[in-house]
Amino acid sequence: MSRFEKFLLNVLFIELFIGGGGRLIDFGILSIRQVLYILLFCTFIFRLIKTKSFFNKEVNTFVRFTPVTIGVYILIGWCSISAVIGWIYDHPLSAVITDLLRVSYIAIYFPLAYYINNSRFSITHIIKIIKYSALTVAIFTITITLLGKTIFINNFNNYYNFLNTIMNDDLFFRPSNSVFYKSHFYVLIGLILSLNAALTKKHSKVDLFNIFLCTLSIIWSETRGFLLAFMVSILAILLIDTKIITDPVKGLKEKIRLLGNSKFFLKKSAILLIVFISVPILYQTMTLSRFQIDTADEQVDNSGLKYGLEEKLILGSKGSKGQTKERVEVNDVSVNTRMSFILASKDILLSNPVNFIFGTGYGTEIDGRISGIEMSFLDILVEQGLIGLCIWGFLFMIVYINFYIVYKRQKTLNTTDISFMSIFLGVLLLTNINPFINNPIGMGFMLIVLIYSQIRKDEVKTLPV
């Protein structure tokens, strides 16, 4: 691999991990992410031509027919059909093209499947980039939030306008002046990678910084989907560790005894359980911070009737006449919006069996939204039908099938295996709350995990089952 190729890959991954929606820098009608995408493809094609590796499966990943490659080909084909269906349904052509271009990022699998290799651009190096990128975004967002909560609190509108001018409207501020940035997705991934590395005593200084700063950045982003994804990932790490430790012995009593005698497992489990338990508390805090509506104090009569979703006792004994209570209502606009999308999607899908099977194509308007909804699986089901959702699901399943084969042959999994499996499970939950998996931010991570799982499967293919 040439120096230029290595440099290009570093820039591509750094931009993917810290570049938010990918439009921080524009070159006319093309964004920096699109330019890097095209440049990597052209570089890879040039390599194929220069080395005359048209039929060499080690180089030309277009003809390397692994399950992942086949799945990607099928997905690209069905995405093209979904675009045609959208055109047939007379959806706005610009919306159809936008949706198609968004998912076309999946095609970057072909150059990445060649370059991501232990002898070329290793997964260890990519993880290092993720961790440092997560730390960079965490520091950036924490700084913005601190300034918004302190120095610029009385002049916040000008502060908001200035930042979104230089950031191309990629920052989303909460009522508390905290900020959410799309690259928080990789802050979450970096946090889990660093946390699991630290708990397995294979950490560096950046891991320790990430555990503190990425946690603070995610909490201040007030994005509840991140908390749920984090909780699921932590639970997955616990379950996988438990299976690996207990599989060598038979009998429930022996398995429990083995777990009880493992000081390392008990220590790691205790820390992870504390983190797991704290998530619901943080979830409620974020909900109140974003959607709480304080209403005027009211008098409560002898009937003890309560109003609002939450109440806080201010004065008087419980149920006494003239007791004063402050009513605190929570108007969860986020959940309400998603419920509207679910109901609108149900109407579209059930109006015609063809819609449910084949989808209504790209550019579909769902409850007034034409640019995609927050729930990726539902968005895929509406636009690409059950067939499209099954194709996406096939790619998701390949990750776990590959790691399962690795475990059956190797009888164990390394820290990276466990981290990627757990994070990917959390991402699959997250993408149905905040849309990531069917856009370049999430697809980039999905492709990294798919390629890595295939590499691990190939490494152990000569070992007996």
Side-chain angles (χ1 to χ4, degrees):
M1 188 171 69
S2 67
R3 290 183 180 180
F4 174 76
E5 288 171 311
K6 188 172 183 179
F7 171 78
L8 178 59
L9 285 166
N10 276 300
V11 174
L12 182 140
F13 281 120
I14 291 172
E15 192 284 325
L16 179 66
F17 300 154
I18 71 173
R23 302 203 68 90
L24 294 183
I25 302 174
D26 290 330
F27 299 91
I29 61 173
L30 296 177
S31 68
I32 178 65
R33 187 162 297 166
Q34 291 168 329
V35 170
L36 292 170
Y37 171 89
I38 295 170
L39 193 55
L40 182 65
F41 246 105
C42 292
T43 303
F44 180 58
I45 297 299
F46 176 76
R47 167 172 285 278
L48 294 180
I49 296 172
K50 182 180 179 181
T51 59
K52 300 179 181 179
S53 302
F54 305 110
F55 301 103
N56 183 351
K57 295 181 181 180
E58 295 299 318
V59 180
N60 188 356
T61 51
F62 291 106
V63 297
R64 187 194 299 172
F65 293 107
T66 65
V68 180
T69 305
I70 294 170
V72 170
Y73 270 128
I74 295 172
L75 181 59
I76 291 173
W78 191 252
C79 288
S80 301
I81 292 173
S82 297
V84 173
I85 293 173
W87 175 72
I88 293 173
Y89 274 66
D90 201 28
H91 296 157
L93 184 60
S94 60
V96 173
I97 294 173
T98 298
D99 282 349
L100 181 61
L101 289 177
R102 186 178 70 235
V103 295
S104 67
Y105 196 83
I106 195 74
I108 205 172
Y109 160 78
F110 295 103
L112 291 183
Y114 167 73
Y115 287 116
I116 298 178
N117 183 283
N118 291 333
S119 61
R120 289 185 281 271
F121 205 83
S122 70
I123 200 69
T124 303
H125 185 64
I126 293 175
I127 289 174
K128 184 178 179 180
I129 296 175
I130 291 176
K131 290 179 179 179
Y132 276 97
S133 298
L135 181 61
T136 301
V137 174
I139 293 172
F140 172 68
T141 53
I142 288 171
T143 302
I144 288 176
T145 298
L146 277 174
L147 291 174
K149 289 176 179 289
T150 55
I151 296 175
F152 298 104
I153 191 170
N154 295 321
N155 194 22
F156 187 75
N157 284 340
N158 290 335
Y159 179 64
Y160 169 90
N161 291 330
F162 169 74
L163 284 175
N164 269 312
T165 298
I166 62 174
M167 293 296 293
N168 219 347
D169 292 321
D170 228 10
L171 298 176
F172 302 86
F173 285 89
R174 308 300 192 189
S176 63
N177 292 359
S178 294
V179 70
F180 164 74
Y181 182 47
K182 288 180 181 179
S183 289
H184 265 115
F185 177 76
Y186 284 101
V187 175
L188 173 68
I189 292 172
L191 170 60
I192 299 172
L193 286 170
S194 292
L195 179 60
N196 200 31
L199 292 176
T200 51
K201 298 181 180 180
K202 298 178 180 178
H203 61 278
S204 61
K205 289 183 180 180
V206 71
D207 291 315
L208 299 179
F209 282 120
N210 274 351
I211 291 171
F212 174 70
L213 293 174
C214 290
T215 300
L216 180 59
S217 178
I218 287 172
I219 291 173
W220 272 359
S221 76
E222 297 181 10
T223 306
R224 296 171 298 176
F226 288 156
L227 292 182
L228 296 176
F230 182 69
M231 184 170 66
V232 168
S233 299
I234 293 300
L235 181 60
I237 290 173
L238 276 173
L239 293 176
I240 295 171
D241 281 345
T242 301
K243 180 172 177 58
I244 292 173
I245 292 173
T246 59
D247 265 4
V249 299
K250 295 182 179 180
L252 182 59
K253 288 185 179 180
E254 285 298 312
K255 292 179 183 290
I256 295 174
R257 185 187 62 80
L258 186 62
L259 288 175
N261 291 334
S262 175
K263 292 183 179 179
F264 171 75
F265 174 79
L266 291 175
K267 182 180 178 181
K268 182 176 180 179
S269 298
I271 294 172
L272 290 178
L273 283 172
I274 291 171
V275 173
F276 183 87
I277 293 170
S278 68
V279 168
I281 300 171
L282 291 171
Y283 186 96
Q284 184 181 29
T285 302
M286 286 184 181
T287 300
L288 293 174
S289 176
R290 288 177 60 186
F291 305 112
Q292 175 177 310
I293 301 174
D294 293 327
T295 62
D297 290 356
E298 61 182 4
Q299 296 295 315
V300 180
D301 60 20
N302 286 329
S303 66
L305 292 175
K306 296 182 179 180
Y307 303 92
L309 300 179
E310 292 196 23
E311 293 178 318
K312 180 180 178 182
L313 180 62
I314 300 299
L315 181 65
S317 61
K318 184 176 181 180
S320 62
K321 186 175 182 178
Q323 175 181 323
T324 303
K325 289 191 176 182
E326 179 186 302
R327 189 177 70 195
V328 180
E329 293 186 0
V330 177
N331 180 23
D332 200 329
V333 178
S334 179
V335 171
N336 296 339
T337 300
R338 284 162 175 78
M339 285 304 301
S340 297
F341 287 144
I342 291 173
L343 295 174
S345 298
K346 183 195 73 173
D347 293 339
I348 294 171
L349 293 168
L350 299 183
S351 63
N352 190 328
V354 174
N355 292 350
F356 184 77
I357 301 298
F358 296 96
T360 55
Y362 286 141
T364 298
E365 181 178 326
I366 304 174
D367 195 36
R369 181 80 67 84
I370 200 171
S371 58
I373 60 175
E374 275 74 2
M375 293 160 286
S376 295
F377 286 2
L378 188 59
D379 194 33
I380 292 169
L381 183 60
V382 171
E383 293 190 329
Q384 298 189 272
L386 185 61
I387 295 175
L389 187 60
C390 287
I391 295 171
W392 281 92
F394 172 71
L395 287 173
F396 302 153
M397 288 302 300
I398 287 177
V399 170
Y400 294 100
I401 291 171
N402 284 345
F403 281 124
Y404 178 75
I405 293 172
V406 171
Y407 178 69
K408 293 300 288 185
R409 293 181 181 273
Q410 197 171 270
K411 308 304 179 185
T412 189
L413 294 169
N414 63 39
T415 303
T416 302
D417 298 339
I418 296 171
S419 294
F420 273 168
M421 288 178 69
S422 304
I423 293 169
F424 193 60
L425 187 63
V427 166
L428 292 181
L429 169 67
L430 173 64
T431 198
N432 290 290
I433 304 169
N434 304 95
F436 284 109
I437 207 70
N438 55 342
N439 69 56
I441 298 176
M443 275 189 282
F445 178 69
M446 182 182 78
L447 292 176
I448 291 170
V449 177
L450 275 168
I451 293 168
Y452 174 70
S453 71
Q454 186 66 42
I455 291 172
R456 292 286 288 129
K457 177 187 171 184
D458 293 339
E459 287 175 349
V460 302
K461 64 182 178 182
T462 58
L463 298 177
V465 179

